[in-house]
Amino acid sequence: MGKPHVLVVPYPAVGHVIPLMELSRHLSKQGIKISFVNTEFNHKRVIHAFGKNVDDRGLFHLVSVPDGLEDGEDRKTFYAPLGVPIL
């Protein structure tokens, strides 16, 4: 059987991304392959905070997907109806 591979998709709000990033980094250190998926907006922030290389063993991959909003659009008003602040 191959190595386990975990797909991590945090909710794009305050308090969700960083704890899952830390958990994922810990799991990758145990030999588990991680694909961490963020919105493009949060992906840029994660890269800024953690750097492009979050591990040196090639088990942790950062992936981004569009959130459907343009760069100038206000994400606060988009997420406000959901009841949580954005990251």
Side-chain angles (χ1 to χ4, degrees), residues 4-73:
H5 185 172
V6 176
L7 177 66
V8 180
V9 184
Y11 186 76
V14 172
H16 293 81
V17 176
I18 300 302
L20 279 175
M21 175 66 86
E22 292 297 329
L23 173 64
S24 299
R25 289 177 70 187
H26 177 71
L27 292 173
S28 73
K29 289 178 183 177
Q30 304 303 313
I32 297 171
K33 184 176 180 179
I34 303 292
S35 292
F36 196 92
V37 181
N38 256 320
T39 62
E40 290 171 346
F41 179 77
N42 283 342
H43 178 78
K44 291 175 189 174
R45 297 179 77 162
V46 167
I47 295 295
H48 180 71
F50 287 93
K52 193 161 188 146
N53 290 328
V54 292
D55 89 308
D56 57 356
R57 297 171 49 191
L59 295 174
F60 197 111
H61 302 280
L62 297 173
V63 182
S64 67
V65 295
D67 62 6
L69 299 174
E70 298 295 326
D71 283 339
E73 290 188 66

